[in-house]
Amino acid sequence: MPSNIRSNVFQSPVQEILHVSFRTTEPLQCLNGYRKGLGLGPSPNLISSQAFQPPNRIIRRECAHVITPNHLPNRTRKTSSAYQGDPNLPRNVCAAIPDELNCRLWITGLPPTCTIRQLLSSIKGIGPVYACHVNEPIATGPKKFDTAAASLTFFTAEAATRFLERHEVKPFEVEGYVTTMTRHRIRTEPVPVNGRSRVLLIVGDPRVVTVENLSRIFTEEWNIRFDTEFVHFRRGQDQNQIHWAFGSFRAQAQAIHANINRHQLGNGVQAMYRADPCL
């Protein structure tokens, strides 16, 4: 098992369950090298699902603040000096919708070393998560923060509203840190669930369906950057099963599900959506 995968293993005659925390170090180093060149601080997570491009292949958009109706209709752009995401991604452009339809929340006051796993495992009974990203504390620059923050997007506005209402009654806590929560200033439209989620059940050929092999394929062959909340692995004689909860549906579980079911791993491997534990 690679050194960047930490696990606690329980073995029985019928199954092995692995609780895995992934940190794909090499792509993260590439990303932070690029961020450094832009004058940004390092990120603890791989925040882009796109394949990393070295700086000499990046097309710099000098007029990125200009939006034309042909490209991004009914949207406006809002960014700040503390923003750690990619403002040019369509889903990171503010949608022209009323605030009550905004599915994205902004959570501050998280533990300084907060992980995707710690954040998502603290959310129960709310709704399926569409996307999640944790920002590390900011130690330098005009705005300094000694705690982490997170952008959390649900599929539905109802789920975001439910989480806010619960927070008002009892403030949301992660690892003993009491947070603050509000609608994100970058408004995000609802997305139909249609039975989809950030959680996959992957079944198939034991020679292919292992945590180590699939994590290598996702990052090295498919250029998919992902976070993991948990992984449960069950070994079988004819096929293995992996119950994999990714950090986001967008560009993570969504892309992996599509690639597997296009038979990119062979006809003997399938991926199926399973319920989000944040429901």
Side-chain angles (χ1 to χ4, degrees):
M1 185 175 292
S3 60
N4 65 327
I5 299 179
R6 302 185 300 275
S7 66
N8 297 316
V9 182
F10 168 79
Q11 292 185 320
S12 72
V14 296
Q15 68 177 2
E16 301 171 4
I17 298 179
L18 285 76
H19 299 281
V20 183
S21 175
F22 282 95
R23 187 63 62 87
T24 48
T25 54
E26 291 185 2
L28 183 61
Q29 290 171 356
C30 290
L31 174 63
N32 283 331
Y34 172 58
R35 289 174 61 82
K36 184 178 180 180
L38 295 179
L40 300 174
S43 171
N45 300 299
L46 289 158
I47 60 176
S48 173
S49 63
Q50 298 176 335
F52 173 75
Q53 296 179 333
N56 63 355
R57 292 179 59 194
I58 297 295
I59 299 174
R60 300 193 180 278
R61 303 184 181 183
E62 301 297 336
C63 299
H65 64 283
V66 178
I67 307 276
T68 63
N70 291 333
H71 290 90
L72 293 170
N74 301 320
R75 291 174 178 267
T76 57
R77 186 178 301 276
K78 297 180 181 180
T79 58
S80 75
S81 59
Y83 181 57
Q84 296 184 24
D86 183 349
N88 296 315
L89 293 176
R91 292 291 294 183
N92 288 339
V93 178
C94 190
I97 57 174
D99 205 39
E100 60 268 21
L101 294 181
N102 184 8
C103 299
R104 187 183 299 196
L105 302 178
W106 180 243
I107 303 173
T108 58
L110 292 165
T113 58
C114 186
T115 64
I116 293 288
R117 180 192 60 80
Q118 289 173 322
L119 174 60
L120 294 178
S121 64
S122 301
I123 303 172
K124 305 294 181 186
I126 301 298
V129 170
Y130 180 80
C132 180
H133 171 65
V134 175
N135 286 355
E136 66 179 352
I138 299 176
T140 60
K143 293 184 178 181
K144 299 179 182 179
F145 304 94
D146 57 6
T147 56
S151 171
L152 179 66
T153 307
F154 293 96
F155 276 84
T156 68
E158 290 81 6
T161 299
R162 185 179 303 115
F163 203 15
L164 282 169
E165 290 174 347
R166 290 194 183 183
H167 174 75
E168 291 178 0
V169 175
K170 182 180 179 181
F172 177 58
E173 293 187 25
V174 177
E175 302 290 324
Y177 281 73
V178 179
T179 70
T180 59
M181 186 185 305
T182 186
R183 301 268 186 187
H184 203 292
R185 60 186 179 78
I186 301 176
R187 297 175 181 175
T188 301
E189 297 169 312
V191 175
V193 178
N194 293 336
R196 302 174 297 174
S197 82
R198 63 184 177 89
V199 183
L200 298 180
L201 177 65
I202 304 172
V203 300
D205 190 334
R207 296 169 298 179
V208 178
V209 182
T210 67
V211 175
E212 296 87 350
N213 186 51
L214 291 183
S215 62
R216 177 190 61 80
I217 291 172
F218 298 162
T219 56
E220 296 179 11
E221 297 185 17
W222 295 351
N223 292 318
I224 295 173
R225 311 304 183 218
F226 64 91
D227 302 295
T228 297
E229 182 189 355
F230 65 80
V231 172
H232 293 169
F233 174 67
R234 184 184 294 246
R235 188 184 303 279
Q237 291 184 349
D238 299 323
Q239 65 177 17
N240 290 347
Q241 296 185 6
I242 300 179
H243 188 200
W244 202 319
F246 294 92
S248 297
F249 167 77
R250 182 183 71 178
Q252 295 186 24
Q254 179 186 31
I256 290 167
H257 180 276
N259 282 359
I260 290 177
N261 290 330
R262 291 186 187 121
H263 306 301
Q264 293 198 20
L265 297 179
N267 293 333
V269 181
Q270 292 181 308
M272 295 154 279
Y273 289 115
R274 288 295 180 261
D276 188 329
C278 292
L279 275 167

